[in-house]
Structure formats: C-alpha cells, structure tokens
Amino acid sequence: MSLQTTLERIGDVTSKYFVLWVVAVAPLALYSPETFTPIAPYITPLLGIIMLGMGLTLTPADFRRVVERPRDVFVGAASQWLLMPLFAYGLVALLGLPPEIGIGLILVGAAPGGTASNVMTYLGRGDVALSVTITTVTTVAAPVVMPAWIVLLAGESISVTFAEMAASIVQVVLLPVISGLLLRYVLDRYAPTVARAGVSIFPAVSVVAIVAIIAAVVGLNVTTILSAGLVVLLAVVLHNGLGLGSGYGIGRASGMPEERARTCAFEVGLQNSGLAVALATAHFGASAALIPALFSVWHNVSGPALATLFSRMDDDDGSASEGGSASTAD
C-alpha cells in the first residue's frame, strides 16, 4: 500500500467517524474536565490549523466560480449573512438566555460557513463547487460581516470593539486560509505529490483539532452545562434547524435546481462554530463559548442526517441527483 493511499484512508476513516469522536469526548470532558481544560490556551492556534487546511483545499478555480455563477453565490451567502444572525437574536430573546450565554448563539449566527457544509453537500449529492465558493466568500467577508452583526445585535452588552474582533478574525481565519491557498499553489507547481498528501491527511488533522476544541470548551463549562441544560440545547437545535430549513426553502423559492437548493441548506445551516468558539473564548469568556461548542456537536449530527435523507430521496426516485454527480467531479 502506498503512502498516499494510507493517508487517504486515515483521512477518510477519521472524517467518517467524526460524530463518534465528538460524542465520545464530550462525556469524558464532563466527567474529567481537568484532563481537557489545559487545551484551552491552544483553541485559537488549533482553529488556525483548521483554516490552513481549508486553504489547502482551495484552488484558483474555486474563486473563478464566483464570476461564473454570481446569482446563486449571492443568494446563498446573503441568506446566511442575514438569516442566521437574526434567528440567533430572536431565539436569545424568546428563550430568555442569559447575556453571557446568548452572545455565543449570536456569534454562531454571525459566523461564516464551515468546511462541514462542503462535506455534507457532497454526501447529500448537492453542488460541491457552489458550496466551496459560498464558504469561501463568507469566510473572506467574515472580518467585516461578523463584527458588524455582533456590535449591532449585542452592542450594549459587550466591551469588545469592531476593530478588535475584525483583527482576531483576520489572524485566525483570513491569514491561515490565504497561507493555505498560497502553499497549495506552490506545492501543486513544484511538489504535486506533497500537495496530494497534504490534502489527503488534513481532514484527519482538522477532525482532531475540532474534537480537541470541543473537549476543552465542555471541560471549561461543566457547571454551566449541567445547570443550563435543556434550554441551551433547545436554542442550538432550533437555530440549526431554522438555518437548514430556510436555506433549502430560499434556494427552491429563488429558482435553484434541487442540488443547489440542498447546497444552500447546508451553507446557511452549518456554521463555522469553531471560529465562534475561538472568538468567544478570546473576547467574552468560557460561558460564551458553550453554545458554539454544542453547535459543533449538534450540526455534525443533523448535517449527516439531512445528507442521508437527501441521498435516500434520490435512491427512492431511482437515480442519483444529476447535479450532485456533476459537481463532485469539478
């Protein structure tokens, strides 16, 4: 077996059982928080590694698609930018979440798309190229869009400034993504074998990093988790469900074909909760990181479930989604 094949298998297995790793480590962190809380100071660097991996998966062709299909990209990105922050704000008010916890839900709502949306789009036979493009656009715009929403929706209850949050997002997201993109370009040109190996193994690295972040946040919030309980979990489930449902509905209402509407569902409903965790920990405290951490767990349950539903719908119709098959070949 070649090294490349081995790396691909490691990446595939680690990603395939991602939900199991998360479900296993969360109770362990509740039972023995002191084992995982030492990871807390490394949350931001770990997220940087994840975003570097995202950059490695991007090519110039992904950015050219913004020009090729601007309407669908705009609909998907605008839906995420507008709906998820407003859903979060409404749920905080409706459920009466304490400000120190509610800010975490608003952070999730204002976050850009995460790489999970790309994976779920692939599994759900959506348009993967469109998914990657929307994720890229929302990520690049995050240093402006995310702080703007936080200041607008929670301005009176926070002390952190727009500039401080924007600087954090540039450091944690934009610079690693650009570094990964440039590294991929150089490796593709001068060391293509190394480039393929990096792309193969980085899913496993990202999974380990995300699981470590979740474990640290759960360990830091044992008391809050046990006391807040069902209301916090309900906020996470409703927020995620509203995003998935409205994303799909807007996609269909705007005239997107089925495979692109599925993409819109995942792009709107699956957020970069790791970024929300990092910002919450850096600027608002451990309690604010609770909902983003729980969102990381939950959307990696709801996402695969919806992807499975979509793929079964195609199987029941007797054929796979034509658009999904075409897009995964891009």
Side-chain angles (χ1 to χ4, degrees), residues 70-214:
R71 177 184 171 278
D72 290 347
V73 173
F74 175 78
V75 169
S79 298
Q80 184 186 57
W81 283 329
L82 293 174
L83 295 178
M84 291 302 276
L86 294 176
F87 286 153
Y89 184 75
L91 287 170
V92 169
L94 180 65
L95 299 176
L97 295 177
E100 65 274 13
I101 293 179
I103 188 66
L105 189 61
I106 294 175
L107 279 166
V108 170
T115 53
S117 63
N118 309 145
V119 177
M120 297 311 144
T121 296
Y122 170 73
L123 295 176
R125 301 177 184 176
D127 189 323
V128 177
L130 177 63
S131 176
V132 171
T133 305
I134 295 174
T135 299
T136 302
V137 168
T138 56
T139 298
V140 170
V144 174
V145 174
M146 197 172 182
W149 273 118
I150 300 304
V151 171
L152 177 65
L153 298 181
E156 295 182 359
S157 61
I158 62 174
S159 57
V160 62
T161 66
F162 178 99
E164 289 171 334
M165 279 186 286
S168 292
I169 298 169
V170 168
Q171 293 170 9
V172 175
V173 175
L174 208 55
L175 291 180
V177 168
I178 293 173
S179 298
L181 179 65
L182 293 175
L183 180 60
R184 172 71 181 273
Y185 176 79
V186 172
L187 290 176
D188 278 344
R189 188 166 185 176
Y190 298 105
T193 302
V194 177
R196 288 194 297 271
V199 172
S200 298
I201 196 60
F202 242 97
V205 175
S206 296
V207 166
V208 171
I210 293 171
V211 170
I213 289 172
I214 292 171

Side-chain angles (χ1 to χ4, degrees), residues 224-265:
T224 306
I225 291 173
L226 296 178
S227 60
L230 292 178
V231 175
V232 172
L233 181 59
L234 179 62
V236 170
V237 172
L238 288 176
H239 191 225
N240 175 238
L242 286 168
L244 293 170
S246 62
Y248 182 81
I250 286 176
R252 296 302 284 171
S254 65
M256 289 185 189
E258 174 66 19
E259 70 276 2
R260 292 188 185 180
R262 294 178 184 185
T263 301
C264 196

Side-chain angles (χ1 to χ4, degrees), residues 15-77:
S15 301
K16 181 178 180 180
Y17 296 104
F18 178 42
V19 175
L20 294 181
W21 311 138
V22 171
V23 171
V25 79
L28 286 175
L30 282 173
Y31 177 75
S32 180
E34 65 279 359
T35 303
F36 300 97
T37 50
I39 301 172
Y42 304 101
I43 287 176
T44 298
L46 286 170
L47 182 63
I49 291 172
I50 296 168
M51 300 315 297
L52 177 69
M54 177 181 171
L56 279 173
T57 67
L58 298 175
T59 65
D62 295 319
F63 293 92
R64 285 197 294 269
R65 293 189 184 100
V66 177
V67 179
E68 294 171 357
R69 54 178 74 178
R71 177 184 171 278
D72 290 347
V73 173
F74 175 78
V75 169

